[in-house]
Amino acid sequence: MSAVDPSELRGHVIVCGLAGVGFRTVEQLHLAGVPVVVVDDEPDPRRVRLVASWGVPHVVGDARLGDGLFEAGLSGAVAVVCTSSSDLHTLETALRARELRPDVRVVAQLANPSVGQALRRVTGARGVLDVAQLAAPSFVEACLGSSSHPLDLDGVPFSVVEVEVGPTVGTALGPHGTFRGRFGPLAPVAVVPADGSAMAVCPGRDHPIAPGDQVAVLGTPEDLERADIASTPPGGHAAPDELARVARARRRLRAAIRGSDRGLVFALGALGVLVVTAVLVLRFNYHPSGGHGATLGWLGAAYFTVVTIATVGYGDYSFGAQPAWLELFGTLMIVVGVVLVTTSFALFTNLLVSRRIEQSLGRRRVPGMRGHVVVIGLGSVGIAVVEGLLGEGRRVVVVERDGSNRYLDRARALGVPVVIADATQGQTHDTVNLPDASAVAILTSDDLTNIETGLAVRESLGERWDTVPVVIRVFDRNLGRMMESSFGFRHVRSTSALAAPWFVGAALGLDVLGTFYVEQQPFLVARLAVAEGGGLEGLAMQDLSARTRVIALRRGGGEGALEHPPRRGTRFAPGDQAYLLGPYEELLRVLRRDQPVDPRAGGPVRPSLADPAPSP
């Protein structure tokens, strides 16, 4: 525990709970230079040590009782962030903070939508956030292989599109062209050089580009169309060649055989051989008149075979006047046919009943599905990703180990096949036809399980590993980076890291509108109301951080028209609504710079509440 004197704390943020997104929120506040105090009575010792190494005070107490909040300096705090691992504890803490200090900004993490809606009436519209709903879009985009990230700025649609610089740059603009020469008025978001050098974040329009560079550009649909830029269809791939089609057909046949009862396959096969043999024998050897006259036609032979095997003879044909060998053949055909037909019916009935039971227990097989997305792990994030993929028109199959999972009924109500099995096993991959999947999302809440499953999936995909997006959820971002460099995973995401900027923004008055990735760099899009007397008042946009871009501006307290893109020399005025894009730490620095300055103290005063909540 760090000693904290409540009387000395001013303008800080109190974070209640170090579990999950709480820890990432503390980390990002600390990195942005925002004073923060932690309240947690049962934290993870490792996280406590990390927080202590940052010099962040930690109060060991129960925020639900109020003592912990007072000890953390509630009277001088600008916000209280409630991120307990229990929705009930989070709700109690949020209500207690609002009761003790009605004017403080309260931000709560709640997964229960009904309780969250009720709490919003107390904390304000932006005071309740759901980590799963905030992080799910990033996982969906990665599964779809989307190169376009749609944004909505007060009803005006924008898109961030990733494109590769073509060879025309070299011929039109010389060996090293510029962004402006190729993309004109579009806004550069990032440039990933083809030579492997560091990514340029929010560069200027005169930034040099070369053939092969990956460039992320921002603009309205009309601007992108004029620049002849279109997003790649989600998950689009080149048409497979003939060998790939043959291999896929072979895999589907094997899966269908594995997904059926082998005894039924054998019985039906034997019955088919018997029918074909009988038709041939009767066609060329059976004489209706009993002599050596005309034989049966093909249709007559097939009819006689069926009624004989089914033992429903109508008296129109018989073996009585035929040669002895043919009578013996007819006898064997009846005996063997009855055995095979009754066996086939019994096995088929058993298969139908077994499939029904398997479906109800979550062991349904999907051998014929192709181009689907396999979601492994059906927690709050998993079900949000499933719903997002269904909204994009994708077929989804879920693999979940726990047969009592609370989200199973919700997934089945959506018509999604659910398989209760261990996703680390190759047999499970065959059950969900993973080799023919278009993407795999591994979303359990255990990092080690996700890593083990990812390695198993890589083995099952084989040669398709390089073309099929495999998205893996981890908590530790450093672990994610090591997985990418050591194991070759390309889509590693942390739900806490994705959601934390929303909590930080809500706590400090920054209205977060969206997040997206370019390569492995997360970007944030947010709206900021320029404060009167703050550091942004009168500042020209070109004087902002080079890693931050103002993509649009609305003058006059949000009542004027949306200017996009604003001129670099435009100066901010109080009440302007600025729409910013950049890495979250850069946007937080802009927010802190905008805080009004207290001339008596010589430092920033407590930020005004941009979205004040109604008093209880």
Side-chain angles (χ1 to χ4, degrees), residues 178-259:
T178 63
F179 181 93
R180 187 191 306 274
R182 169 62 180 86
F183 299 104
L186 295 177
V189 175
V191 176
V192 183
D195 59 10
S197 55
M199 174 193 297
V201 176
C202 296
R205 287 187 172 84
D206 294 323
H207 187 85
I209 56 176
D213 290 353
Q214 292 289 333
V215 179
V217 301
L218 178 141
T220 63
E222 295 78 12
D223 294 337
L224 293 170
E225 185 176 357
R226 282 194 292 268
D228 196 22
I229 295 177
S231 60
T232 303
H237 299 287
D241 57 22
E242 194 61 32
L243 292 178
R245 291 192 184 96
V246 173
R248 180 180 295 112
R250 190 181 299 119
R251 288 198 303 268
R252 295 178 67 182
L253 178 61
R254 286 199 299 264
I257 294 175
R258 283 193 295 265

Side-chain angles (χ1 to χ4, degrees), residues 308-394:
T308 301
I309 292 176
T311 66
V312 294
Y314 297 104
D316 42 3
Y317 295 108
S318 72
F319 288 96
Q322 302 300 314
W325 73 269
L326 197 56
E327 291 185 31
L328 178 60
F329 175 80
T331 303
L332 291 175
M333 183 172 64
I334 294 173
V335 173
V336 175
V338 168
V339 171
L340 291 177
V341 169
T342 54
T343 301
S344 297
F345 271 112
L347 292 174
F348 184 68
T349 302
N350 178 70
L351 179 63
L352 289 179
V353 174
S354 300
R355 286 287 177 87
R356 185 63 179 173
I357 294 174
E358 287 177 351
Q359 184 174 351
S360 63
L361 295 177
R363 301 191 181 107
R364 178 178 175 184
R365 292 174 178 267
V366 285
M369 191 172 286
R370 167 176 171 267
H372 55 296
V373 179
V374 178
V375 175
I376 300 173
L378 196 61
S380 58
V381 176
I383 192 65
V385 171
V386 168
E387 292 173 340
L389 290 169
L390 292 176
E392 295 291 337
R394 291 307 181 97

